[in-house]
């Protein structure tokens, strides 16, 4: 390996990504200006965020890349990153400029956790609090900081003293499941979601939550368009699948369709509004039969379901029982 440039090194910690290690490395060596980090290491947080420069960082630390690459996202095609075996959106699933963290986690071990950067994680299930993005001095945290514990403007404060808000129990439950999928904390089994890639599962609970909150609408609806935080919309969808209430939700939406005075014939693209259209264009090879069969069975009780309503129709030989 190449000779180390910095006199002091750090040991990669549990769940710590490469770009978080770089901040801790800079702080330990007394680097006070973010512009000095690349000049002294040939590395930047933005490049390490996608695994670029991993060999260089490992050389500086005197370790193998495997010591931290398990917690570091790696570029996969133009718009995706892979972390812990899950393929996520580079721009929609990861925070880039702002830093977030759990102050209680930092108090226990002052290092970044890779899941702090995931947009769809908003709480720390271990400490049951919301993640924060503000330094103890009140300034926003960013990747221009040269310390994990404070912002670049703060001389001696620490985020460990920040009192975070309590996390919503339903959001904590959903975050605990998602993090369990990524090997963090206690695993929470929910078979109907665990059969899907994590990104598709997150999208699915968001769509189901939006259907429950927004009701029947004949125009496309996104979770972020509703008068409720997107994370709460997803948590609603998570609860519906967990407690097997999807069949009843579809019944309610169909009743709203009938009351809406819609002039079209009931079919998959109309009876459930935008959700039926979304459902029809899913990729069935990545979608669990527990959901697709239930939606199709619900539709068959109400109108003639023609082939083509779903890319890979799975008509049961006998009516199936409602399980979701």
């Amino acid at each position: 390996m190449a000779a180390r440039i910095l006199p002091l090194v750090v040991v990669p910690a549990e769940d710590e990504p490469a770009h978080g290690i770089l901040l801790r490395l800079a702080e330990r060596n007394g680097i006070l200006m973010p512009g000095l980090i690349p000049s002294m290491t040939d590395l930047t947080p933005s490049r390490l965020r996608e695994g670029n420069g991993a060999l260089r960082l490992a050389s500086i630390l005197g370790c193998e890349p495997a010591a931290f690459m398990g917690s570091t996202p790696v570029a996969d095609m133009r718009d995706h990153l892979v972390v812990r075996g899950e393929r996520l959106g580079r721009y929609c699933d990861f925070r880039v400029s702002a830093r977030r963290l759990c102050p209680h986690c930092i108090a226990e071990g002052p290092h970044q956790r890779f899941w702090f950067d995931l947009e769809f994680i908003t709480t720390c299930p271990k400490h049951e609090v919301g993640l924060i993005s503000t330094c103890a001095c009140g300034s926003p945290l960013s990747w221009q900081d040269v310390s994990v514990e404070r912002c670049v403007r703060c001389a001696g404060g620490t985020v460990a003293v920040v009192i975070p808000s309590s996390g919503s129990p339903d959001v904590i439950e959903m975050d605990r499941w998602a993090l369990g999928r990524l090997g963090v904390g206690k695993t929470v089994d929910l078979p109907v979601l665990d059969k899907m890639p994590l990104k598709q599962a997150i999208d699915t609970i968001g769509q189901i939550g939006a259907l429950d909150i927004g009701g029947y609408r004949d125009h496309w609806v996104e979770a972020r368009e509703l008068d409720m935080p997107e994370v709460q919309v997803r948590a609603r969808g998570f609860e519906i699948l967990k407690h097997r209430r999807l069949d009843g939700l579809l019944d309610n939406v169909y009743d709203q369709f009938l009351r809406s005075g819609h002039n079209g014939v009931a079919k998959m693209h109309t009876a459930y509004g935008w959700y039926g259209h979304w459902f029809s264009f899913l990729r069935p090879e990545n979608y669990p039969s527990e959901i697709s069969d239930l939606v199709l069975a619900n539709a068959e009780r109400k109108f003639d379901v023609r082939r083509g309503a779903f890319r890979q129709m799975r008509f049961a030989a006998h009516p199936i029982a409602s399980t979701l």
Side-chain angles (χ1 to χ4, degrees):
M1 289 186 174
R4 301 173 184 171
I5 295 177
L6 302 177
L8 302 175
V9 297
V10 298
V11 177
E14 184 179 12
D15 297 334
E16 187 177 26
H19 53 288
I21 294 173
L22 187 62
L23 253 62
R24 202 154 56 93
L25 186 64
E27 181 178 25
R28 181 147 196 238
N29 284 276
I31 299 175
L32 302 179
M33 298 177 61
L36 292 178
I37 296 177
S39 65
M40 297 186 69
T41 64
D42 293 330
L43 296 170
T44 63
S46 60
R47 293 186 67 243
L48 283 174
R49 190 190 312 280
E50 300 185 3
N52 297 319
L55 290 176
R56 174 66 174 166
L57 179 62
S59 177
I60 293 173
L61 299 178
C63 68
E64 295 297 325
F68 53 82
M69 286 305 293
S71 300
T72 299
V74 177
D76 178 43
M77 303 178 65
R78 185 177 66 179
D79 296 329
H80 295 87
L81 301 174
V82 175
V83 62
R84 298 283 173 95
E86 295 287 352
R87 191 165 179 259
L88 304 172
R90 172 187 267 121
Y91 305 109
C92 60
D93 293 325
F94 289 90
R95 290 205 164 201
V96 177
S97 57
R99 278 198 305 130
R100 288 187 313 173
L101 49 83
C102 167
H104 299 324
C105 284
I106 296 300
E108 293 175 355
H111 65 272
Q112 185 77 4
R113 280 71 166 170
F114 76 91
W115 51 272
F116 290 166
D117 295 337
L118 297 176
E119 285 283 2
F120 53 84
I121 300 296
T122 61
T123 67
C124 171
K126 178 181 179 180
H127 298 107
E128 299 186 346
V129 297
L131 300 182
I132 66 168
S133 57
T134 304
C135 179
C137 70
S139 299
L141 298 169
S142 79
W143 287 103
Q144 289 299 308
D145 302 332
V146 289
S147 170
V148 175
E149 298 184 74
R150 61 186 63 86
C151 72
V152 72
R153 302 177 184 84
C154 188
T158 171
V159 295
V161 302
V162 176
I163 301 176
S165 61
S166 297
S168 171
D170 55 345
V171 174
I172 290 172
E173 183 180 33
M174 178 182 63
D175 285 352
R176 184 173 285 119
W177 161 78
L179 288 176
R181 287 281 303 264
L182 294 167
V184 178
K186 184 179 179 180
T187 301
V188 179
D189 295 327
L190 190 55
V192 68
L193 288 176
D194 293 339
K195 292 180 180 180
M196 288 184 268
L198 181 58
K199 183 172 179 57
Q200 186 166 8
I202 294 293
D203 183 43
T204 295
I205 59 178
Q207 298 292 355
I208 291 174
L211 181 65
D212 183 51
I213 295 167
Y216 174 83
R217 301 189 190 189
D218 57 8
H219 61 277
W220 197 270
V221 176
E222 296 286 348
R224 59 179 174 272
E225 298 172 358
L226 300 171
D227 294 329
M228 180 180 289
E230 187 175 357
V231 63
Q232 290 287 352
V233 176
R234 289 197 301 269
R236 181 76 66 88
F238 182 83
E239 285 296 302
I240 288 170
L241 287 182
K242 178 184 176 182
H243 296 293
R244 302 184 176 186
R245 297 201 300 259
L246 179 58
D247 197 56
L249 171 59
L250 294 174
D251 287 341
N252 291 337
V253 173
Y254 181 72
D255 289 343
Q256 294 172 27
F257 160 74
L258 295 178
R259 295 195 300 268
S260 70
H262 195 288
N263 295 324
V265 176
K267 53 186 178 180
M268 191 63 71
H269 287 179
T270 60
Y272 304 115
W274 61 269
Y275 180 82
H277 188 78
W278 174 79
F279 172 82
S280 299
F281 286 91
L282 292 171
R283 298 182 63 85
E285 61 270 23
N286 290 332
Y287 215 69
S289 61
E290 289 92 333
I291 295 181
S292 58
D293 284 350
L294 182 141
V295 175
L296 293 171
N298 188 284
E300 286 185 301
R301 296 199 302 267
K302 299 173 173 58
F303 51 87
D304 180 29
V305 179
R306 300 182 182 278
R307 289 190 176 275
F310 191 49
R311 287 187 177 186
Q312 183 177 319
M313 298 291 286
R314 285 187 286 260
F315 288 99
H318 304 286
I320 64 175
S322 170
T323 57
L324 292 174

